[in-house]
Each structure stands twice: as structure tokens, then as C-alpha cells.
Amino acid sequence: MTEAVLRRFRIGILVVAIGISVLAVVLILGAWRNDRTIEADMGTATAEVLSAGSLRSAISFVTPDGANRNPPLGVLYPTNLTVGQRIEVEYAKSDPDLVRVAGRNASVAMVPAGSVIVVTWLLAGPMIWYLRKRESATRISKPDTSN
């Protein structure tokens, strides 16, 4: 491969790794922002888990005004929930569709997001190093045609 192609691959890998890292940080910041919104105007309720998954769990709960709520995006931090389980939830009174499992917060998102960042750089780092080494070797082995 030519030096230019190696350089493009190296830059592409770097851009992808930075992009994944930025998205993971944005995920943590978004979770933190949601927590602040809930804590600023918190209501609590007992909810029933309608469906359970590792990424999204649907719940249903009743607010003090008697309104039945079923947040379209589910509940935040849904790990280890089971269908039919009754759980305590905390929600933003100003936006009752913004709900989290009581006692959980953005710190729950830090381990998975941090792991994504670490794995990304564990994969990208050696590839970038290898491509840089190959790029240098290509540059050295290329004859000087500037004369």
C-alpha cells in the first residue's frame, strides 16, 4: 500500500475512535442532565414493569393526580428488571415521561460507557500504531525522486 492510503486508513480509524468516544461521553452527559431534571422537580410512584430488557423496559404508574403513565421511552437504568415486578420510580413532575428506577442515577451509565471507550482505544491504538509504523517504512523505502 502507498503511504497516502496508509495515512487515510490511520486517520479513518482515529476519526471513528474519537467519534465513538465522544458519543459515549454524550451518553453520560445526557444521563446526568436527565437526573438533574428529575431531581429538580421529583415525584415518586410505584410502577409495574410491563416489559423488561437490558436497554429498554416499559413501565406503567399512576401520578398523584390519577393519571396513568406509560412513558414511551421506558424507564431509565432498567437493568435487572422482570416483567410483573413492582418497583419504586422517580420522575420529573414537569415531564412525567422522564422516569428512572428509584435509587439509580447516571453513575450506572458510566461503567458501560467507560468500557466502550476503553475497548475502542484498545482496538484502535495498536491499529493506529501499526499503520503509522508501516507508513514510516513505506516513506523510508521510497526512493528520493526530488532531484
Side-chain angles (χ1 to χ4, degrees):
M1 278 194 248
T2 68
E3 181 181 347
V5 171
L6 292 170
R7 185 170 191 272
R8 284 189 197 117
F9 276 143
R10 183 173 51 86
I11 290 171
I13 292 169
L14 185 62
V15 167
V16 169
I18 290 171
I20 291 170
S21 299
V22 167
L23 288 174
V25 169
V26 167
L27 173 81
I28 293 169
L29 293 175
W32 180 79
R33 186 185 120 284
N34 285 339
D35 285 348
R36 299 289 93 47
T37 302
I38 290 170
E39 290 165 4
D41 189 24
M42 188 187 305
T44 60
T46 300
E48 181 180 353
V49 179
L50 304 175
S51 69
S54 58
L55 299 177
R56 182 184 182 282
S57 292
I59 62 165
S60 178
F61 67 97
V62 178
T63 56
D65 62 1
N68 189 27
R69 293 290 186 177
N70 187 349
L73 297 178
V75 63
L76 299 173
Y77 321 121
T79 310
N80 298 325
L81 299 180
T82 58
V83 175
Q85 182 180 8
R86 299 190 62 75
I87 59 170
E88 293 299 312
V89 295
E90 300 166 341
Y91 64 93
K93 290 179 186 175
S94 58
D95 180 9
D97 287 338
L98 183 58
V99 185
R100 69 180 179 195
V101 175
R104 297 183 186 173
N105 58 30
S107 65
V108 173
M110 292 181 74
V111 171
S115 298
V116 166
I117 293 170
V118 168
V119 169
T120 296
W121 287 102
L122 284 175
L123 294 173
M127 286 190 284
I128 291 168
W129 174 82
Y130 175 75
L131 290 171
R132 179 174 280 164
K133 185 177 170 184
R134 288 269 318 260
E135 191 179 332
S136 295
T138 303
R139 189 178 309 126
I140 292 169
S141 66
K142 189 188 297 183
D144 187 12
T145 58
S146 62
N147 293 338

